[in-house]
Amino acid sequence: MPDHPPTKDGSWRHQLGSPDFPPEPDRYHLYVGLFCPFAHRVLLTRELKGLQQFLPMSIVKPYPKEGGGWRFPSTDEEYPGSTVDHLFHSRFLHDLYFRSDSKYEGKYSVPVLWDKKTNQIVNNESEDIMRMLNTVFNDFLPPNETARRELDFYPSILRLQINEINSWMMPNLNSGVYRAGFATTQESYEENCRIVFSTLDRLESHLSNQPRNIYVLGSHLTEIDLKLYTTLVRFDAIYQQHFKLMIGSVRHNYPHLHRWLKHMYWKVVGVKETTNFKHIKENYSKSHADVNPKAITPLGPEPNIEGWTEEDEQWRREAERESESLRGHM
């Protein structure tokens, strides 16, 4: 029996910062796939908080999935962007799950947070890992990294708003695209497709009512932005055609969301660097045989993300000035 077995639903939900799993540099290892939006949100947190030296990482290939699940390349050059399993040189991701619990019967998903000291999985729930990485290594950041130490994606002053948006954005958009895309009846597809677009409408309305919001909740970058980004950056690129979400596109039908997406990609350092469109598009198009049996990866849209214009930059400068002015009167 492992010391810390998974829960009944096949997830590990242990916490960094607890007595069993204290924060220590290079004690833990992160496993991700660049294609997965849930792993991507954790990767963004690690990148933006500057935790690379404290939390090393291994990256599975985007395909194939059949015949054993997600797997690692035999060398780092085999599939650019993927890496070998730096800890155990495993062939498959499922090897880690069985290494942690030999009787495990659940799914093999990323992200995975591994403890090298006790040789087991700590957590494989993306939101948990995001929130742990948000604060748990702050004391280890160098003295000159004040901005990263103060960067808080789940601040107490915005927590109620974050939780409220999470309550409908997560099931209806972040997970909703999958319910539409993997629907097995016309009725289920249409119902879930409508839910996805009504959620996009709701987010577009929110931003249009707050035209000077650089981020979803104003001038503060929060976990809502990270969760929304990892879905929207995949929307036009693959979800729209692969999951039959053809009612509209972000770039043509949602101007405020589109500008927000461009700002995240081009202006938030670390976001573009963690976004790999080859991994994203080839994962969906080459690992869902029931959806795309010939495994042809579509071209387009071109470019993947439209450029940041002078008009966009003027909007950003005005929004920042307004935010600074508001802070000065607080």
Side-chain angles (χ1 to χ4, degrees):
M1 186 72 175
D3 293 334
H4 297 276
T7 59
K8 290 182 179 180
D9 67 356
S11 61
W12 280 260
R13 303 295 296 272
H14 311 300
Q15 295 292 307
L16 288 185
S18 66
D20 289 336
F21 302 105
E24 298 175 13
D26 200 26
R27 170 171 170 171
Y28 303 97
H29 195 84
L30 184 63
Y31 290 91
V32 301
L34 301 184
F35 54 85
C36 173
F38 301 98
H40 194 177
R41 59 176 66 164
V42 172
L43 182 56
L44 279 170
T45 307
R46 172 184 178 268
E47 183 79 15
L48 297 178
K49 290 289 291 187
L51 304 180
Q52 296 90 328
Q53 62 179 315
F54 308 117
L55 184 62
M57 180 174 68
S58 298
I59 306 170
V60 297
K61 295 184 350 182
Y63 75 94
K65 185 179 181 181
E66 70 280 358
W70 305 124
R71 64 202 69 192
F72 299 94
S74 56
T75 69
D76 288 353
E77 292 73 35
E78 178 185 318
Y79 192 103
S82 299
T83 72
V84 298
D85 174 5
H86 294 303
L87 292 186
F88 306 112
H89 298 283
S90 307
R91 183 182 178 194
F92 292 99
L93 181 69
H94 70 236
D95 295 333
L96 296 170
Y97 279 79
F98 291 128
R99 186 180 287 270
S100 189
D101 182 355
S102 61
K103 297 182 179 179
Y104 180 72
E105 296 180 348
K107 296 180 179 180
Y108 319 117
S109 62
V110 286
V112 171
L113 184 64
W114 183 271
D115 180 14
K116 295 188 284 188
K117 188 172 184 178
T118 61
N119 207 36
Q120 61 190 300
I121 294 174
V122 179
N123 201 294
N124 64 343
E125 165 51 50
S126 63
E127 185 175 84
D128 287 357
I129 301 174
M130 286 182 73
R131 291 180 179 176
M132 289 187 285
L133 299 187
N134 184 42
T135 58
V136 75
F137 288 112
N138 279 353
D139 290 342
F140 296 99
L141 290 169
N144 63 341
E145 293 282 4
T146 303
R148 281 178 163 159
R149 188 179 298 107
E150 294 177 350
L151 184 61
D152 186 355
F153 301 121
Y154 194 53
S156 56
I157 194 171
L158 295 175
R159 201 158 291 178
L160 287 177
Q161 295 177 68
I162 291 171
N163 291 342
E164 192 275 328
I165 294 175
N166 273 332
S167 71
W168 50 266
M169 186 182 78
M170 288 279 288
N172 297 335
L173 180 62
N174 301 129
S175 297
V177 293
Y178 291 95
R179 280 197 288 273
F182 293 134
T184 57
T185 68
Q186 184 71 30
E187 293 75 18
S188 176
Y189 157 72
E190 290 186 9
E191 177 185 2
N192 286 289
C193 182
R194 295 289 182 188
I195 289 172
V196 166
F197 282 96
S198 68
T199 307
L200 289 174
D201 292 342
R202 186 173 181 178
L203 288 161
E204 176 72 10
S205 177
H206 170 83
L207 288 179
S208 68
N209 290 331
Q210 306 288 335
R212 296 302 187 198
N213 275 19
I214 294 177
Y215 303 111
V216 174
L217 293 177
S219 60
H220 197 118
L221 178 67
T222 72
E223 70 172 48
I224 293 296
D225 296 286
L226 305 189
K227 292 173 178 176
L228 181 58
Y229 173 81
T230 60
T231 292
L232 289 199
V233 79
R234 289 161 171 78
F235 199 91
D236 290 6
I238 194 68
Y239 290 163
Q240 188 182 26
Q241 61 84 26
H242 189 69
F243 286 159
K244 305 176 183 68
L245 299 170
M246 303 300 294
I247 292 175
S249 66
V250 174
R251 66 182 63 195
H252 293 135
N253 300 95
Y254 295 96
H256 293 87
L257 283 171
H258 185 214
R259 184 173 59 194
W260 169 90
L261 176 64
K262 291 198 298 178
H263 179 263
M264 288 288 294
Y265 184 82
W266 293 112
K267 294 299 178 179
V268 181
V269 176
V271 172
K272 177 184 177 183
E273 292 75 7
T274 65
T275 304
N276 189 309
F277 285 103
K278 178 178 173 64
H279 280 238
I280 289 169
K281 296 182 72 170
E282 292 195 346
N283 163 257
Y284 288 90
S285 60
K286 297 185 185 302
S287 64
H288 299 155
D290 54 337
V291 177
N292 190 32
K294 294 189 181 297
I296 295 172
T297 301
L299 297 176
E302 295 179 344
N304 288 313
I305 299 292
E306 292 190 356
W308 189 250
T309 67
E310 181 54 39
E311 182 181 351
D312 293 327
E313 184 60 24
Q314 182 179 348
W315 164 81
R316 186 174 75 96
R317 289 194 296 262
E318 292 175 355
E320 288 179 343
R321 281 197 295 268
E322 185 172 308
S323 177
E324 290 171 2
S325 177
L326 289 173
R327 281 197 295 268
H329 288 88
M330 291 178 65

